[in-house]
Amino acid sequence: MRFCPYAQRTRLVLQAKGIRHEEVNINLKNKPEWFFKKNPIGKVPLIENSQGQLICESVIICEYLDEAYPGKKLLPNDPYERACQKMILESFSKVLTNKKTTFFGGNSVSMIDYFIWPWFERLESLELNDCVTQTPKLKLWVAAMRKDPAVEALYTDAKSQQHFYTLYFQNSSPEACDYGL
C-alpha cells in the first residue's frame, strides 16, 4: 500500500538496495480474504520471499532485506551502532538537538532515515510543514532526504496524498488504494 508509511519504509529499502520485487496494493479498510490467509493479523506491509516465506512488520522486513540481499548496507555492521540507530528510532525527536551529521545514522542515508522519512513526507499534505521550518537541522535533513535516489523514486506529492485521504476517508472505495497508478 503506497500511502501507508509502514509500507513505504519497506518500499524505500527495496528501492535503495535495488531489489526487484512485485508490489500488490490492497484496500486497507477492506482487505481481501487471501491477505488474511497469508497474514492472520492483517497488517501491512507483508513480504513473501522466493521460498514462499512470509515476513511482516516493517522494521523486521527492512532488517531482513538488508541482511538477505547484498549490495549497499543500510544498517551498520557494528552491533553497538545498530543498537544506537534503533534507539534513535524509538525517540528521534529527543536526539535531534544532539545530531552532528546530516542524517540520523551518520554522514549518509541509512536504515534509520528510511524508517523516519515516511512521516515527514506526509507533513506537507497534512499542512504541518511549519514543524520543519522552525527546526534548522530537521529542515536540512528533509532537504537532503529529498535528494536521495530511493526517496526521489518513491516520492508522492502532497496533492496526490490529499486526494488519497479524501477518497479513503469518504468511502474506502477501491480507487483510493490505487489512486495515481
Side-chain angles (χ1 to χ4, degrees), residues 135-148:
T135 338
K137 288 182 180 180
L138 191 55
K139 189 175 178 179
L140 289 171
W141 176 77
V142 168
M145 285 300 291
R146 284 198 172 153
K147 294 176 185 172
D148 177 72

Side-chain angles (χ1 to χ4, degrees), residues 13 17 19 59-77 82 86 111:
V13 171
K17 293 186 70 68
I19 301 170
V59 172
I60 296 168
I61 292 170
C62 292
E63 289 178 2
Y64 165 80
L65 293 171
D66 201 40
E67 290 177 22
Y69 290 86
K72 179 181 180 181
K73 283 294 183 194
L74 298 171
L75 282 170
N77 289 328
R82 273 196 313 274
K86 289 178 183 180
M111 191 74 79

